[in-house]
PDB file of all heavy atoms in Angstrom:
ATOM      1  N   THR A1429       0.761  -1.249  -0.001  1.00  0.00           N
ATOM      2  CA  THR A1429      -0.009   0.009   0.003  1.00  0.00           C
ATOM      3  C   THR A1429       0.800   1.303  -0.037  1.00  0.00           C
ATOM      4  O   THR A1429       0.271   2.371  -0.275  1.00  0.00           O
ATOM      5  CB  THR A1429      -0.913   0.040   1.211  1.00  0.00           C
ATOM      6  OG1 THR A1429      -0.118  -0.036   2.403  1.00  0.00           O
ATOM      7  CG2 THR A1429      -1.930  -1.093   1.185  1.00  0.00           C
ATOM      8  N   ALA A1430       2.107   1.254   0.338  1.00  0.00           N
ATOM      9  CA  ALA A1430       2.862   2.482   0.485  1.00  0.00           C
ATOM     10  C   ALA A1430       3.235   3.183  -0.842  1.00  0.00           C
ATOM     11  O   ALA A1430       3.044   4.379  -0.944  1.00  0.00           O
ATOM     12  CB  ALA A1430       4.083   2.234   1.292  1.00  0.00           C
ATOM     13  N   LEU A1431       3.724   2.427  -1.798  1.00  0.00           N
ATOM     14  CA  LEU A1431       4.184   3.003  -3.020  1.00  0.00           C
ATOM     15  C   LEU A1431       3.697   2.197  -4.214  1.00  0.00           C
ATOM     16  O   LEU A1431       3.639   0.974  -4.143  1.00  0.00           O
ATOM     17  CB  LEU A1431       5.727   3.064  -3.070  1.00  0.00           C
ATOM     18  CG  LEU A1431       6.394   3.939  -2.006  1.00  0.00           C
ATOM     19  CD1 LEU A1431       7.868   3.675  -1.923  1.00  0.00           C
ATOM     20  CD2 LEU A1431       6.159   5.437  -2.325  1.00  0.00           C
ATOM     21  N   THR A1432       3.428   2.892  -5.300  1.00  0.00           N
ATOM     22  CA  THR A1432       3.029   2.191  -6.515  1.00  0.00           C
ATOM     23  C   THR A1432       4.315   1.824  -7.301  1.00  0.00           C
ATOM     24  O   THR A1432       5.375   2.347  -7.027  1.00  0.00           O
ATOM     25  CB  THR A1432       2.154   3.115  -7.441  1.00  0.00           C
ATOM     26  OG1 THR A1432       2.950   4.221  -7.853  1.00  0.00           O
ATOM     27  CG2 THR A1432       0.929   3.609  -6.670  1.00  0.00           C
ATOM     28  N   THR A1433       4.121   0.915  -8.268  1.00  0.00           N
ATOM     29  CA  THR A1433       5.269   0.590  -9.153  1.00  0.00           C
ATOM     30  C   THR A1433       5.778   1.813  -9.841  1.00  0.00           C
ATOM     31  O   THR A1433       7.012   1.978  -9.989  1.00  0.00           O
ATOM     32  CB  THR A1433       4.877  -0.499 -10.144  1.00  0.00           C
ATOM     33  OG1 THR A1433       4.388  -1.642  -9.426  1.00  0.00           O
ATOM     34  CG2 THR A1433       5.994  -0.896 -11.045  1.00  0.00           C
ATOM     35  N   ALA A1434       4.878   2.723 -10.266  1.00  0.00           N
ATOM     36  CA  ALA A1434       5.303   3.952 -10.922  1.00  0.00           C
ATOM     37  C   ALA A1434       6.113   4.789  -9.955  1.00  0.00           C
ATOM     38  O   ALA A1434       7.134   5.410 -10.366  1.00  0.00           O
ATOM     39  CB  ALA A1434       4.102   4.714 -11.423  1.00  0.00           C
ATOM     40  N   ASP A1435       5.666   4.905  -8.709  1.00  0.00           N
ATOM     41  CA  ASP A1435       6.449   5.653  -7.709  1.00  0.00           C
ATOM     42  C   ASP A1435       7.851   5.113  -7.546  1.00  0.00           C
ATOM     43  O   ASP A1435       8.859   5.847  -7.577  1.00  0.00           O
ATOM     44  CB  ASP A1435       5.811   5.564  -6.289  1.00  0.00           C
ATOM     45  CG  ASP A1435       4.461   6.285  -6.179  1.00  0.00           C
ATOM     46  OD1 ASP A1435       4.222   7.255  -6.892  1.00  0.00           O
ATOM     47  OD2 ASP A1435       3.680   5.829  -5.347  1.00  0.00           O
ATOM     48  N   LEU A1436       7.980   3.788  -7.414  1.00  0.00           N
ATOM     49  CA  LEU A1436       9.231   3.115  -7.227  1.00  0.00           C
ATOM     50  C   LEU A1436      10.151   3.350  -8.426  1.00  0.00           C
ATOM     51  O   LEU A1436      11.328   3.684  -8.302  1.00  0.00           O
ATOM     52  CB  LEU A1436       9.076   1.685  -6.937  1.00  0.00           C
ATOM     53  CG  LEU A1436       8.435   1.341  -5.590  1.00  0.00           C
ATOM     54  CD1 LEU A1436       7.952  -0.092  -5.600  1.00  0.00           C
ATOM     55  CD2 LEU A1436       9.414   1.613  -4.463  1.00  0.00           C
ATOM     56  N   THR A1437       9.635   3.229  -9.637  1.00  0.00           N
ATOM     57  CA  THR A1437      10.428   3.363 -10.857  1.00  0.00           C
ATOM     58  C   THR A1437      10.930   4.807 -10.927  1.00  0.00           C
ATOM     59  O   THR A1437      12.094   5.031 -11.278  1.00  0.00           O
ATOM     60  CB  THR A1437       9.557   3.009 -12.054  1.00  0.00           C
ATOM     61  OG1 THR A1437       9.187   1.629 -11.913  1.00  0.00           O
ATOM     62  CG2 THR A1437      10.394   3.168 -13.363  1.00  0.00           C
ATOM     63  N   THR A1438      10.095   5.779 -10.557  1.00  0.00           N
ATOM     64  CA  THR A1438      10.517   7.156 -10.562  1.00  0.00           C
ATOM     65  C   THR A1438      11.600   7.440  -9.545  1.00  0.00           C
ATOM     66  O   THR A1438      12.561   8.142  -9.785  1.00  0.00           O
ATOM     67  CB  THR A1438       9.324   8.056 -10.266  1.00  0.00           C
ATOM     68  OG1 THR A1438       8.346   7.911 -11.339  1.00  0.00           O
ATOM     69  CG2 THR A1438       9.728   9.566 -10.277  1.00  0.00           C
ATOM     70  N   LEU A1439      11.479   6.886  -8.381  1.00  0.00           N
ATOM     71  CA  LEU A1439      12.335   7.132  -7.264  1.00  0.00           C
ATOM     72  C   LEU A1439      13.657   6.388  -7.305  1.00  0.00           C
ATOM     73  O   LEU A1439      14.761   6.963  -6.978  1.00  0.00           O
ATOM     74  CB  LEU A1439      11.641   6.818  -5.906  1.00  0.00           C
ATOM     75  CG  LEU A1439      10.444   7.760  -5.648  1.00  0.00           C
ATOM     76  CD1 LEU A1439       9.630   7.189  -4.522  1.00  0.00           C
ATOM     77  CD2 LEU A1439      10.882   9.171  -5.351  1.00  0.00           C
ATOM     78  N   ILE A1440      13.644   5.085  -7.647  1.00  0.00           N
ATOM     79  CA  ILE A1440      14.868   4.303  -7.595  1.00  0.00           C
ATOM     80  C   ILE A1440      15.176   3.527  -8.868  1.00  0.00           C
ATOM     81  O   ILE A1440      16.145   2.774  -8.927  1.00  0.00           O
ATOM     82  CB  ILE A1440      14.856   3.273  -6.423  1.00  0.00           C
ATOM     83  CG1 ILE A1440      13.787   2.242  -6.571  1.00  0.00           C
ATOM     84  CG2 ILE A1440      14.801   4.030  -5.084  1.00  0.00           C
ATOM     85  CD1 ILE A1440      13.838   1.109  -5.573  1.00  0.00           C
ATOM     86  N   GLY A1441      14.392   3.690  -9.872  1.00  0.00           N
ATOM     87  CA  GLY A1441      14.546   2.925 -11.139  1.00  0.00           C
ATOM     88  C   GLY A1441      13.806   1.622 -11.007  1.00  0.00           C
ATOM     89  O   GLY A1441      12.963   1.469 -10.111  1.00  0.00           O
ATOM     90  N   THR A1442      14.028   0.691 -11.911  1.00  0.00           N
ATOM     91  CA  THR A1442      13.314  -0.572 -11.857  1.00  0.00           C
ATOM     92  C   THR A1442      13.645  -1.342 -10.544  1.00  0.00           C
ATOM     93  O   THR A1442      14.766  -1.601 -10.249  1.00  0.00           O
ATOM     94  CB  THR A1442      13.727  -1.484 -13.060  1.00  0.00           C
ATOM     95  OG1 THR A1442      13.447  -0.701 -14.237  1.00  0.00           O
ATOM     96  CG2 THR A1442      12.934  -2.785 -13.045  1.00  0.00           C
ATOM     97  N   PRO A1443      12.540  -1.610  -9.758  1.00  0.00           N
ATOM     98  CA  PRO A1443      12.859  -2.239  -8.446  1.00  0.00           C
ATOM     99  C   PRO A1443      12.807  -3.802  -8.549  1.00  0.00           C
ATOM    100  O   PRO A1443      12.184  -4.355  -9.396  1.00  0.00           O
ATOM    101  CB  PRO A1443      11.614  -1.788  -7.636  1.00  0.00           C
ATOM    102  CG  PRO A1443      10.521  -1.633  -8.630  1.00  0.00           C
ATOM    103  CD  PRO A1443      11.171  -1.207  -9.893  1.00  0.00           C
ATOM    104  N   ASN A1444      13.575  -4.394  -7.604  1.00  0.00           N
ATOM    105  CA  ASN A1444      13.427  -5.813  -7.385  1.00  0.00           C
ATOM    106  C   ASN A1444      12.115  -6.013  -6.680  1.00  0.00           C
ATOM    107  O   ASN A1444      11.503  -5.057  -6.166  1.00  0.00           O
ATOM    108  CB  ASN A1444      14.564  -6.313  -6.484  1.00  0.00           C
ATOM    109  CG  ASN A1444      15.820  -6.588  -7.217  1.00  0.00           C
ATOM    110  OD1 ASN A1444      15.798  -7.038  -8.389  1.00  0.00           O
ATOM    111  ND2 ASN A1444      16.968  -6.303  -6.605  1.00  0.00           N
ATOM    112  N   PRO A1445      11.605  -7.275  -6.598  1.00  0.00           N
ATOM    113  CA  PRO A1445      10.410  -7.520  -5.789  1.00  0.00           C
ATOM    114  C   PRO A1445      10.612  -7.034  -4.351  1.00  0.00           C
ATOM    115  O   PRO A1445      11.724  -7.097  -3.853  1.00  0.00           O
ATOM    116  CB  PRO A1445      10.217  -9.028  -5.849  1.00  0.00           C
ATOM    117  CG  PRO A1445      10.914  -9.502  -7.051  1.00  0.00           C
ATOM    118  CD  PRO A1445      12.087  -8.514  -7.275  1.00  0.00           C
ATOM    119  N   PRO A1446       9.600  -6.524  -3.733  1.00  0.00           N
ATOM    120  CA  PRO A1446       9.750  -5.973  -2.399  1.00  0.00           C
ATOM    121  C   PRO A1446      10.099  -7.065  -1.343  1.00  0.00           C
ATOM    122  O   PRO A1446       9.743  -8.246  -1.561  1.00  0.00           O
ATOM    123  CB  PRO A1446       8.419  -5.385  -2.059  1.00  0.00           C
ATOM    124  CG  PRO A1446       7.428  -6.097  -2.925  1.00  0.00           C
ATOM    125  CD  PRO A1446       8.215  -6.456  -4.170  1.00  0.00           C
ATOM    126  N   THR A1447      10.736  -6.652  -0.304  1.00  0.00           N
ATOM    127  CA  THR A1447      11.070  -7.574   0.782  1.00  0.00           C
ATOM    128  C   THR A1447      10.262  -7.137   2.039  1.00  0.00           C
ATOM    129  O   THR A1447      10.630  -6.164   2.720  1.00  0.00           O
ATOM    130  CB  THR A1447      12.568  -7.527   1.133  1.00  0.00           C
ATOM    131  OG1 THR A1447      13.306  -7.803  -0.066  1.00  0.00           O
ATOM    132  CG2 THR A1447      12.991  -8.488   2.196  1.00  0.00           C
ATOM    133  N   PRO A1448       9.229  -7.882   2.375  1.00  0.00           N
ATOM    134  CA  PRO A1448       8.440  -7.514   3.558  1.00  0.00           C
ATOM    135  C   PRO A1448       9.090  -8.137   4.820  1.00  0.00           C
ATOM    136  O   PRO A1448       9.783  -9.156   4.769  1.00  0.00           O
ATOM    137  CB  PRO A1448       7.078  -8.207   3.295  1.00  0.00           C
ATOM    138  CG  PRO A1448       7.379  -9.366   2.410  1.00  0.00           C
ATOM    139  CD  PRO A1448       8.595  -8.956   1.590  1.00  0.00           C
ATOM    140  N   SER A1449       8.915  -7.409   5.878  1.00  0.00           N
ATOM    141  CA  SER A1449       9.388  -7.940   7.200  1.00  0.00           C
ATOM    142  C   SER A1449       8.518  -7.307   8.318  1.00  0.00           C
ATOM    143  O   SER A1449       7.672  -6.423   8.042  1.00  0.00           O
ATOM    144  CB  SER A1449      10.882  -7.600   7.450  1.00  0.00           C
ATOM    145  OG  SER A1449      11.069  -6.236   7.400  1.00  0.00           O
ATOM    146  N   ASP A1450       8.732  -7.755   9.489  1.00  0.00           N
ATOM    147  CA  ASP A1450       7.999  -7.247  10.665  1.00  0.00           C
ATOM    148  C   ASP A1450       9.034  -6.986  11.760  1.00  0.00           C
ATOM    149  O   ASP A1450       9.888  -7.837  12.029  1.00  0.00           O
ATOM    150  CB  ASP A1450       6.949  -8.211  11.106  1.00  0.00           C
ATOM    151  CG  ASP A1450       5.847  -7.579  11.990  1.00  0.00           C
ATOM    152  OD1 ASP A1450       5.539  -6.391  11.734  1.00  0.00           O
ATOM    153  OD2 ASP A1450       5.403  -8.243  12.886  1.00  0.00           O
ATOM    154  N   ASN A1451       8.994  -5.808  12.359  1.00  0.00           N
ATOM    155  CA  ASN A1451       9.968  -5.534  13.470  1.00  0.00           C
ATOM    156  C   ASN A1451       9.194  -4.985  14.651  1.00  0.00           C
ATOM    157  O   ASN A1451       7.986  -4.935  14.648  1.00  0.00           O
ATOM    158  CB  ASN A1451      11.065  -4.599  12.989  1.00  0.00           C
ATOM    159  CG  ASN A1451      10.595  -3.225  12.498  1.00  0.00           C
ATOM    160  OD1 ASN A1451       9.657  -2.675  13.114  1.00  0.00           O
ATOM    161  ND2 ASN A1451      11.178  -2.733  11.447  1.00  0.00           N
ATOM    162  N   ALA A1452       9.959  -4.529  15.642  1.00  0.00           N
ATOM    163  CA  ALA A1452       9.304  -4.073  16.900  1.00  0.00           C
ATOM    164  C   ALA A1452       8.417  -2.862  16.687  1.00  0.00           C
ATOM    165  O   ALA A1452       7.484  -2.656  17.482  1.00  0.00           O
ATOM    166  CB  ALA A1452      10.375  -3.786  17.930  1.00  0.00           C
ATOM    167  N   ALA A1453       8.658  -2.121  15.622  1.00  0.00           N
ATOM    168  CA  ALA A1453       7.823  -0.921  15.404  1.00  0.00           C
ATOM    169  C   ALA A1453       6.590  -1.251  14.589  1.00  0.00           C
ATOM    170  O   ALA A1453       5.589  -0.612  14.731  1.00  0.00           O
ATOM    171  CB  ALA A1453       8.670   0.146  14.657  1.00  0.00           C
ATOM    172  N   GLY A1454       6.685  -2.245  13.738  1.00  0.00           N
ATOM    173  CA  GLY A1454       5.556  -2.613  12.897  1.00  0.00           C
ATOM    174  C   GLY A1454       6.000  -3.213  11.616  1.00  0.00           C
ATOM    175  O   GLY A1454       7.126  -3.532  11.398  1.00  0.00           O
TER     176      GLY A1454
END
């Protein structure tokens, strides 16, 4: 939900698949 593929491409170029995780903050 945070960023669209278009957002990611604009910001960092073609992205790898995302890496989800969970930490003490969320």
Side-chain angles (χ1 to χ4, degrees):
T1429 59
L1431 296 167
T1432 66
T1433 301
D1435 292 332
L1436 292 164
T1437 301
T1438 299
L1439 296 167
I1440 63 171
T1442 303
N1444 279 325
T1447 305
S1449 60
D1450 198 35
N1451 61 39

